[in-house]
């Protein structure tokens, strides 16, 4: 067992749990718009609780990056899922709501699906930098999928809206992580050269939009709903882009494919159950 990666992964999970609970508690206090409102970020920036949430967010990102540099995705991601079990009761306490016991089952199902998929997929490295044509191919399927999630969320309410926006956020985070991966080697060897790479500016655009969508997701339903979707979709999209753009390969044996299919179904089931679980009543003042 990689002790350093394990400790960094658990530390990252704790940081993300605290950050998500603080950010969601602040976002829930803002009016919920029908469509995406970029002004939400400026309103949240005036709330000390939301700003405080970015401290563990930054530390968590650093610990996650270190853990991924020491161990593969299939080892680190299950550790990050553990933070959901901390985020659920913490967010419930901050929002003065009862903990929904079913949320822990939802997280367990979705998390087990993600772990099964990553372990069965066994992604093997491909090229270091995708071609422009490969990135265009990603845009051709990621763009429409993002649009469908956003348009559907405008017609939805409550937990369903939170799940759809969580899927959209996870999609954006997965694309952003892949863009960062494509310039990571150049960042270490020639950081000045990165400034002329279009991937850097695409990353800034995707990352900024992801933050906006994330905060809207936090406004809808319990934290378990969007956070489960984000935590599952983010690495899953990373694997898909790894195969389609970085030409990584996955295990193709009959048993491995069956486990991959089981993992995808379990992940989808976890997100679906989170979306249909009724909202618990708030605590009486």
């Amino acid at each position: 067992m990689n002790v350093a990666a394990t400790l960094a992964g658990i530390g990252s999970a704790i940081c993300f749990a605290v950050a998500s609970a603080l950010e969601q508690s602040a976002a829930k206090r803002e009016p919920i718009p029908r469509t995406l409102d970029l002004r939400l970020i400026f309103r949240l920036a005036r709330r000390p609780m939301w700003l405080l949430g970015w401290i563990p967010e930054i530390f968590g990102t650093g610990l996650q990056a270190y853990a991924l540099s020491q161990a593969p995705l299939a080892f680190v991601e299950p550790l990050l899922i553990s933070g959901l079990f901390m985020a659920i009761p913490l967010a419930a306490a901050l929002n003065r709501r009862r903990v929904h016991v079913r949320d822990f089952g939802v997280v367990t199902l979705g998390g087990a699906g993600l772990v099964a998929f990553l372990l069965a997929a066994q992604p093997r490295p491909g090229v270091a930098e995708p071609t422009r044509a490969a990135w265009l191919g990603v845009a051709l399927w990621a763009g429409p999928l993002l649009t469908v999630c956003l348009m559907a969320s405008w017609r939805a309410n409550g937990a369903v809206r939170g799940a759809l926006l969580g899927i959209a956020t996870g999609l954006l985070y997965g694309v952003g992580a892949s863009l960062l991966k494509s310039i990571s080697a150049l960042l270490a060897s020639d950081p000045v050269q990165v400034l002329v790479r279009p991937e850097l500016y695409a990353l800034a655009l995707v990352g900024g939009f992801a933050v906006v969508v994330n905060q809207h997701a936090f406004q809808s339903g319990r934290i378990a709903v969007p956070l489960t979707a984000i935590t599952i979709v983010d690495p899953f999209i990373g694997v898909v882009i790894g195969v389609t753009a970085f030409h990584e390969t996955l295990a193709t044996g009959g048993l491995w494919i069956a486990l991959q299919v089981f993992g995808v179904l379990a992940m989808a089931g976890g997100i679906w159950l989170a979306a249909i679980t009724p909202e618990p009543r708030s605590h009486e003042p």
Side-chain angles (χ1 to χ4, degrees):
M1 181 179 69
N2 190 321
V3 177
T6 301
L7 294 177
I10 294 175
S12 178
I14 294 172
C15 287
F16 284 144
V18 175
S20 298
L22 291 171
E23 291 172 17
Q24 194 243 12
S25 182
K28 294 282 282 186
R29 287 165 170 76
E30 292 290 335
I32 301 177
R34 285 307 312 168
T35 59
L36 293 182
D37 184 1
L38 298 179
R39 295 171 297 178
L40 174 62
I41 298 299
F42 297 101
R43 294 197 298 269
L44 288 171
R46 296 196 294 267
R47 291 187 176 274
M49 182 178 292
W50 189 78
L51 294 175
L52 183 63
W54 281 93
I55 297 177
E57 183 89 39
I58 293 171
F59 277 104
T61 301
L63 289 171
Q64 180 186 20
Y66 176 76
L68 288 171
S69 71
Q70 300 296 312
L73 180 72
F75 179 84
V76 175
E77 284 302 326
L79 297 176
L80 297 180
I81 294 171
S82 65
L84 290 174
F85 293 96
M86 178 180 177
I88 291 172
L90 182 57
L94 290 173
N95 293 315
R96 296 183 179 181
R97 290 186 176 274
R98 296 182 178 88
V99 175
H100 206 308
V101 178
R102 189 172 175 179
D103 285 341
F104 294 106
V106 166
V107 171
T108 301
L109 175 61
L114 177 60
V115 173
F117 174 78
L118 292 175
L119 291 177
Q122 301 177 36
R124 298 174 181 83
V127 300
E129 296 181 22
T131 63
R132 299 290 168 80
W135 281 124
L136 177 60
V138 172
L140 288 177
W141 62 261
L145 180 57
L146 176 64
T147 301
V148 168
C149 288
L150 293 179
M151 292 183 67
S153 71
W154 297 341
R155 297 177 176 273
N157 295 296
V160 174
R161 175 183 171 90
L164 290 168
L165 290 174
I167 293 171
T169 302
L171 171 61
L172 289 166
Y173 281 152
V175 172
S178 299
L179 287 166
L180 178 60
K181 178 181 179 180
S182 70
I183 59 175
S184 59
L186 197 58
L187 276 171
S189 60
D190 189 2
V192 176
Q193 187 65 25
V194 174
L195 297 176
V196 300
R197 294 291 297 272
E199 289 90 341
L200 175 65
Y201 302 98
L203 174 59
L205 180 63
V206 170
F209 191 47
V211 171
V212 174
V213 179
N214 194 356
Q215 303 313 309
H216 282 80
F218 280 160
Q219 287 188 302
S220 305
R222 309 172 313 284
I223 194 171
V225 180
L227 208 54
T228 298
I230 293 169
T231 305
I232 290 173
V233 174
D234 179 358
F236 178 73
I237 291 297
V239 172
V240 173
I241 295 177
V243 172
T244 58
F246 289 84
H247 300 294
E248 297 176 353
T249 56
L250 306 182
T252 56
L255 176 61
W256 297 124
I257 292 178
L259 287 174
Q260 290 170 38
V261 172
F262 165 78
V264 171
L265 293 176
M267 287 187 284
I271 296 174
W272 177 72
L273 287 175
I276 66 172
T277 300
E279 189 79 10
R281 295 180 180 180
S282 58
H283 286 308
E284 296 296 332

